Amino acid sequence: MNKHLQSYRPRLLAFEVTRRCRFNCRHCRADAERAAQNDELSTEQWKRIMDSVAAYEKCVIILTGGEPTEREDILELARYGREQGLRVVMATCGYAIDEAALTRLHEAGVLAISYSLDGATAQTHDAFRRTPGAFDTVIKAAKATRKAGIRFQINTTITRTNLAEIPAIAELARQLGAAVFNPFILVPTGRGDEIREEILEPDQYAQLLSELLDLRGTLPIDMRVTCGPQYARAYREANLQEPRVHISGCMGGRGFGFISHRGDVQTCGFLDITAGNLVENGFDFAAIWDKSTFLGEIRDVTSYKGKCGECAYVRVCGGCRARAYTMTGDYLAEDPVCWYERREKK
Ligand code: SF4
Ligand code: SF4
């Protein structure tokens, strides 16, 4: 593999194995629903995709959805991934997780689980998930996971509504025994499009990132920020260059990729633009990943526009291409949540 492509080698790939889900979350990217979609890939098709990505040594695949446990073959897929040398993890909202399910997942080779928790109380979380009892369900699942000795993390989508609860959610994650607290910055796509007003103002967002940096210093568990690439900028501006800690901006289309329930290769699940379809190209992931013109554009930060185009931190942060796209219609435009100020070139 040439040096240029080596630097974009996928290390983390999300597999949207289904769009089915029993919940009805306000911010759902996948716009998931109860009924099965007839365009969902089959067991054999997902296996062919795993064969195709197995060449990337130590690649982690996230079985996600929708709700991945809605698939009857989820254990078979996890087991197959592991047999191909992939590191398999799962993202779930927890309603199908109990002690017996955890034993089965563990035996199938699932190494870690992420749970979505969007409030420190049942009131906030259940309102977000539009499902009474969702909070109790996920807390129960997290406790069972800890008891089973399986590593897990808590994912929290930050909006205006739960902003003030972030320290309490982080503390709850610690108490539950999570290995990582992982806040996500809202990208209003899918059903999230209906909650655009929940996006933080740039000043509010800058303040949040500074508070997250403080929290990171005091929280006794790991903390990562996803889809808030400006966190990498804030980290450098605060001169927190700790040895062996590398905080990156957006990895979509670089170290991270997404494969939709139809087999479309995307930068991430929030930017609904296909770089190519795996069914149509005979399940050759590398051919799409290495040669797509769209991915080439995303990787070329010199083509970015607006504030991102003139920003000294563009290689550190890159802005969120999905937020740019959903808010302006142009994925190369500036990220609308950024509090950009001109700085000396880094
Ligand atoms: S484009 Fe945005 S939503 Fe997608 S991975 Fe990058 S930061 Fe996250
Ligand atoms: S202007 Fe763009 S690249 Fe610069 S910090 Fe903001 S989002 Fe990141």
Side-chain angles (χ1 to χ4, degrees), residues 257-272:
F258 177 92
I259 301 171
S260 82
H261 67 293
R262 285 190 294 257
D264 287 320
V265 176
Q266 299 175 202
T267 57
C268 66
F270 295 99
L271 184 50
D272 196 6

Side-chain angles (χ1 to χ4, degrees), residues 185 187 226-229 249-252 256 267-271 319-323 335:
I185 309 304
V187 184
T226 301
C227 302
C250 170
M251 296 303 294
F256 176 76
T267 57
C268 66
F270 295 99
L271 184 50
C320 172
R321 301 298 103 219
R323 236 173 345 244
D335 183 344

Side-chain angles (χ1 to χ4, degrees), residues 15-22 36-37 39-47 50 63-78 90 95-96 105 260-262:
F15 284 20
E16 185 192 49
V17 291
T18 183
R19 283 205 160 179
R20 282 173 280 164
C21 185
R22 286 180 226 165
Q37 305 222 342
D39 51 359
E40 207 169 78
L41 297 185
S42 68
T43 311
E44 290 316 307
Q45 287 173 317
W46 279 116
K47 286 184 178 176
M50 288 186 198
L63 300 175
T64 184
E67 170 52 48
T69 55
E70 286 290 324
R71 273 191 84 112
E72 296 70 23
D73 59 359
I74 196 67
L75 296 173
E76 185 180 346
L77 290 180
M90 178 183 283
Y95 59 68
L105 287 170
S260 82
H261 67 293
R262 285 190 294 257

Side-chain angles (χ1 to χ4, degrees), residues 94-105 115 140-141 144-145 148 150:
Y95 59 68
I97 303 296
D98 57 16
E99 228 170 279
L102 286 163
T103 303
R104 288 193 293 271
L105 287 170
Y115 292 111
K140 231 165 105 186
T145 310
I150 299 174

Side-chain angles (χ1 to χ4, degrees), residues 21-165:
C21 185
R22 286 180 226 165
F23 284 180
N24 183 23
C25 306
R26 286 183 73 209
H27 60 313
C28 184
R29 166 199 60 72
D31 203 3
E33 56 191 9
R34 281 169 183 264
Q37 305 222 342
N38 55 15
D39 51 359
E40 207 169 78
L41 297 185
S42 68
T43 311
E44 290 316 307
Q45 287 173 317
W46 279 116
K47 286 184 178 176
R48 289 195 65 185
I49 292 175
M50 288 186 198
D51 292 342
S52 162
V53 302
Y56 301 107
E57 213 185 314
K58 295 187 181 163
C59 185
V60 176
I61 60 166
I62 311 170
L63 300 175
T64 184
E67 170 52 48
T69 55
E70 286 290 324
R71 273 191 84 112
E72 296 70 23
D73 59 359
I74 196 67
L75 296 173
E76 185 180 346
L77 290 180
R79 197 171 294 114
Y80 189 82
R82 183 191 58 181
E83 286 164 4
Q84 307 319 305
L86 295 160
R87 296 176 172 182
V88 181
V89 300
M90 178 183 283
T92 170
C93 44
Y95 59 68
I97 303 296
D98 57 16
E99 228 170 279
L102 286 163
T103 303
R104 288 193 293 271
L105 287 170
H106 182 65
E107 282 170 2
V110 173
L111 298 171
I113 297 179
S114 63
Y115 292 111
S116 305
L117 180 64
D118 298 314
T121 64
Q123 198 185 4
T124 316
H125 182 77
D126 291 1
F128 215 71
R129 305 256 139 197
R130 294 191 290 206
T131 310
F135 181 79
D136 292 344
T137 302
V138 72
I139 297 293
K140 231 165 105 186
K143 285 181 177 168
T145 310
R146 183 185 196 180
K147 204 167 152 209
I150 299 174
R151 184 183 164 88
F152 71 96
Q153 69 178 54
I154 294 292
N155 295 347
T156 301
T157 299
I158 302 184
T159 63
R160 288 186 191 210
T161 303
N162 66 4
L163 186 60
E165 287 183 34

